[in-house]
Amino acid sequence: MSSGDHSLEKTSVVDHDEENLKVGATKRHIDLANNVEARIHNPLHGIPRDTLLKGVEEFAKEYGLEDKVDLFKKGALLAQSPGELETIPGITEEEKEHIRRETTHRWSQSKSLYLTIIICSLAAAVQGWDQTGSNGANLSFPQEFGLHSDDPNDPNRERNDWIVGVINAGPYIATALLGCWITDPLNHYFGRRGTLFWCGIFCTVSVIGQGLAQTWPQLFVCRLLLGLGMGPKATTSPVFASENVPANIRGGLVMCWQMWTAFGIFLGFSANLALHNVGPIAWRLELGSAFIPAIPLTLGIYFCPESPRWYMKKLRYPDAFRSFVRLRNSEIQAARDMYYVHCQLVEEYKIMQGSTYIGRFFELFTIPRVRRATLASWVVMIAQQMCGINIIAFYSSTIFRNAGYSVTQALFASWGFGLVNWVFAFPAVWTIDTFGRRNLLLFTFPNMAWTLLAAGFCFYIPEGHAARVPLIALFVFIFAAFYSPGEGPVPFTYSAEVFPLTHREMGMSWAVATNFFWASVLSLTFPSMLTAFGPVGSFGFYAGLNVIALVMIFFLMPETKQRTLEELDYVFAVPVGRHAKYQLTEFLPYWISRWVLMRKNTTLKPLYDFDEVEAPIKQEKLKGDV
């Protein structure tokens, strides 16, 4: 974004706030840079009704929505006091029923919303299939290019291991170094939909190129080009879904990214299994088959409504309203959500000054509210690589071959891993918005640590023993079963929601670049690690990283469940030190007392104060959530 464009956006929003016409004056100001009282705040709270309605009139006049002013007045009153639905004047019985159904039928959403989720799910399936094509191909393409030797004394063996690692790491290297960082300008000029169209093109052409490669450098270049599609796709798709989905089901729908990434991984393993007997070209078909889900992604993205928050960022408010209407079940819901988002944007722009591309990058680390989101997203993203899931996703066939399986048996075992990884992602649809993002990770990381360690120890069983390979496979499958509802869906869902709109593309670029950089490190180093440490040492190393990741999550990751994207400004305004101290002095003693000593009367003092919050898309029963 150019400096001039961003200044125009900022000035247009903030100048009117000085007159207190759009958002009024709240009873108690909350510092979004340093929310030491941990208070979560509705920006419309405490505004006199006359002032609020006058602000709506000015808002409608300023943004070309005069014909909808009465609708926006009702929406503003509803956003201010959702608990008073029955007493707000002018709201029809039909409109009231739509609001009630948000609680009683929360999965009853518009067709356009679900179409958006389907397209984002296709993007995820492309991601998963791209990851696993190389898994099966690893069993044959090194021989094709003279990069494999069974002779332990071969002087080129170590060199060849590194070349295979570099080829496998290619998409992740390109994603971390370039792909993620072009997301911001792509989104600025083309929007969320245009960016995903770009990704579909690259994810189609590059994988076909892999299948046609005649030398390993050609294969490596095609995999680098794949990263230019994978990076913006992994960055934009969760953000696109997150911005369009209501808060009370946001986690359950946005986590479809992981569920359908897992499905794409399963499809990739299925393709590997189906194609491995077709002869010398098997690896080419395994790598090239990933273009299949990229075609409907490329063709279908423009049938979805653009993100209304992106339109608002570009000051295209009538377009934003039309998008909101398509994404909600009624115009009253669209008007309420849009006005609430606008008012919170006024608050955001007071402290967010990202006027240039480079400026927004540095503000990820200098603005306190944004810096805390940057830290939290970094923790959950690097934890996904620390847990060791991708040593299985990238190299499971190689691991099972080393354990003693034939090629066919290794591919079947990998297929089983992909199936478990996908099936066990389904529980997260319901638990991520109830049990919570943070709690899912605190539960699953210890279990991933011991199952990975157990799988490694099973390599001590002598070769040829009947129990050796089945036990290795069993613990790998149990590891996947714990990963899929926890560290699988949380990182991309969490990172897509924690950044303010002003820094959302740049923040998500940072988060995904973190994830893919360490994925490239893992992919690059694991063949050599396997040679140097053996399976036991390699699995034990990643089991230890699970424990380190657990500690980082416990102290540095705030919960975000059932909060609107705008309310998260206040969550991440709470200083890291206060959050960490609370976990150590309040949460940990409570957990020990309640779940170790089994004292059922133990209570937990809440960290956040919701006294002033009546979230505009939740009913009274949600006011006490922590």
Side-chain angles (χ1 to χ4, degrees), residues 579-613:
H579 178 270
K581 180 180 179 181
Y582 173 85
Q583 305 308 323
L584 186 63
T585 62
E586 299 289 345
F587 182 82
L588 185 59
Y590 160 80
W591 188 87
I592 293 173
S593 178
R594 177 66 183 87
W595 300 108
V596 178
L597 303 179
M598 302 304 291
R599 296 173 180 169
K600 295 184 179 181
N601 62 342
T602 304
T603 59
L604 176 64
K605 177 184 175 182
L607 171 59
Y608 303 114
D609 174 14
F610 294 126
D611 288 344
E612 293 186 358
V613 173

Side-chain angles (χ1 to χ4, degrees), residues 433-448:
D433 282 317
T434 53
F435 195 52
R437 287 82 156 136
R438 172 186 160 85
N439 287 337
L440 281 173
L441 299 188
L442 294 178
F443 170 73
T444 55
F445 262 92
N447 289 295
M448 287 192 291

